[in-house]
Amino acid sequence: MKNTALAISISFFAIVPMLSNAQAAKTLPMIEQQPQVAGFYQHQAGKTQITALLDGTNYMSPALFKGISQDKVHEILKKYHADKAQGVQTSINAFLVNNGKSLTLVDSGAASCFGAHLGSVLSNLKASGYKPEQVDTILLTHLHPDHVCGISKNGAANFPNATVYVSSDEANYWLNPKQAGKIAQDQRANYLGTVKHIKAALAPYQAKKQFKTFKSGDKIGDFEVISTAGHTPGHFSYKLKTSGEDVIFIGDIVHSHTVQFDQPETAIEYDIDPKAAVQTRLKQFADYAQHGQTIAAPHLPFPGIGHIYSADGKHYQWMPVHFKD
């Protein structure tokens, strides 16, 4: 009897995998990749909630890195398993800061300025439980389209109750009509194209007098402004002191968690003043590595929140924040 039962048991388990595989082949066909879930991540800093909002991901040509050989670029990318045929992947992130008194958006994404693969900040903000009407302050690190375009759509403000802030140096560089004449002839068309995007994004806020500028030494609510010029002439970062940690919204002092951390003296094509951009990165990286501030970065892998580490003061590593549920 025992032998019979054992034989039945063996036969049953021998048949089940065959049936399961056959059934799986019928019910689990290969399908195209589906859209990812909503791109937001909430980080608690003391009593302040910081919500990272993904606008989308983009790919850069390795040739955009300057002052470094392409062989070295690919060597670094391979070390990080980031050497892809389509280019160097970069995130576009924005950050929503809720301190219990006000709701501040730091940068806003590219919206549709660079194509349909970007433009998810607004939908991800809503998915995270907030409404655009609740945002009362928008801090722009600078006025490149992938930071400013997300504030408006078709001439209407996406955040109708918000006041937009940018440095006076940045506003003067892009919005002063006399500036175009100072731009090199071979770069003027690109400059004017960027200005067109900027003006369209800012227009509804300017019309309602909800656009303001600041200078070094000013403070906007709980945020301290820090000049980090180089990438653009009026590029600023924002420092937020909380009861738990200091958080720095660094803007575009860095575009790559691989090449520009391994070799921080590497500029990128988008830098208006490459030498100043490199000096700013070297100075800020050294400070962040020494003092351990929490960093919120628009172009590091989503959610773009973490810390900067260095063992030798020359090369750096990006240390993403530990996931918290």
Side-chain angles (χ1 to χ4, degrees):
M1 187 68 178
K2 290 182 179 180
N3 291 339
T4 303
L6 179 61
I8 293 173
S9 177
I10 293 173
S11 299
F12 175 77
F13 285 109
I15 294 171
V16 167
M18 295 178 61
L19 293 175
S20 298
N21 291 340
Q23 188 176 30
K26 293 179 181 179
T27 59
L28 296 175
M30 293 296 293
I31 58 175
E32 294 183 3
Q33 181 175 333
Q34 299 300 304
Q36 298 284 9
V37 296
F40 68 88
Y41 178 81
Q42 292 176 326
H43 174 77
Q44 198 71 24
K47 296 181 179 179
T48 300
Q49 183 188 71
I50 300 170
T51 303
L53 303 170
L54 178 66
D55 197 51
T57 55
N58 207 13
Y59 288 91
M60 304 184 298
S61 167
L64 292 172
F65 293 109
K66 302 299 180 183
I68 185 173
S69 71
Q70 284 299 289
D71 286 344
K72 184 63 175 178
V73 168
H74 288 287
E75 176 187 325
I76 296 169
L77 292 173
K78 287 177 181 176
K79 181 170 68 175
Y80 288 93
H81 302 277
D83 196 16
K84 307 297 182 182
Q86 61 266 54
V88 182
Q89 188 184 67
T90 181
S91 292
I92 297 180
N93 310 317
F95 301 93
L96 194 64
V97 182
N98 181 356
N99 65 3
K101 299 175 295 183
S102 64
L103 194 60
T104 300
L105 181 66
V106 183
D107 289 326
S108 69
S112 60
C113 282
F114 292 158
H117 62 296
L118 300 172
S120 296
V121 161
L122 198 60
S123 60
N124 284 328
L125 181 146
K126 294 174 182 176
S128 72
Y130 291 99
K131 298 178 181 179
E133 296 81 7
Q134 294 175 295
V135 177
D136 53 66
T137 304
I138 298 174
L139 304 180
L140 300 175
T141 55
H142 61 299
L143 289 176
H144 275 161
D146 55 328
H147 296 259
V148 69
C149 279
I151 65 176
S152 302
K153 183 177 181 180
N154 298 328
N158 284 336
F159 307 95
N161 298 317
T163 298
V164 177
Y165 291 85
V166 71
S167 77
S168 55
D169 288 341
E170 188 73 358
N172 187 60
Y173 180 80
W174 297 106
L175 302 178
N176 186 339
K178 296 180 180 179
Q179 182 63 32
K182 302 176 183 179
I183 304 298
Q185 189 65 43
D186 63 336
Q187 299 174 9
R188 195 169 298 169
N190 184 59
Y191 169 84
L192 292 173
T194 300
V195 168
K196 184 178 179 180
H197 284 306
I198 294 169
K199 286 184 174 180
L202 293 176
Y205 297 90
Q206 291 175 315
K208 293 185 177 181
K209 301 188 184 305
Q210 293 170 215
F211 174 70
K212 295 183 179 181
T213 60
F214 62 81
K215 61 184 183 301
S216 288
D218 289 349
K219 197 170 183 181
I220 306 168
D222 292 338
F223 293 86
E224 176 187 339
V225 302
I226 304 168
S227 177
T228 45
H231 179 63
T232 64
H235 186 286
F236 268 73
S237 301
Y238 299 98
K239 180 179 180 179
L240 177 67
K241 293 185 72 69
T242 76
S243 58
E245 60 202 88
D246 287 352
V247 183
I248 314 288
F249 300 85
I250 65 172
D252 284 11
I253 70 168
V254 64
H255 287 78
S256 166
H257 74 292
T258 56
V259 176
Q260 289 182 306
F261 272 76
D262 194 288
Q263 301 292 320
E265 69 279 3
T266 303
I268 199 165
E269 182 70 26
Y270 309 130
D271 294 333
I272 291 174
D273 186 339
K275 290 183 179 179
V278 167
Q279 290 306 309
T280 290
R281 178 164 48 258
L282 293 173
K283 176 184 176 182
Q284 299 306 122
F285 270 25
D287 180 55
Y288 303 150
Q290 180 181 355
H291 296 105
Q293 301 96 322
T294 298
I295 303 304
H299 294 309
L300 298 186
F302 182 78
I305 300 174
H307 297 87
I308 293 176
Y309 169 78
S310 178
D312 58 9
K314 296 179 181 179
H315 308 282
Y316 295 85
Q317 285 181 278
W318 174 241
M319 312 294 285
V321 69
H322 288 270
F323 179 83
K324 297 176 184 177
D325 60 16

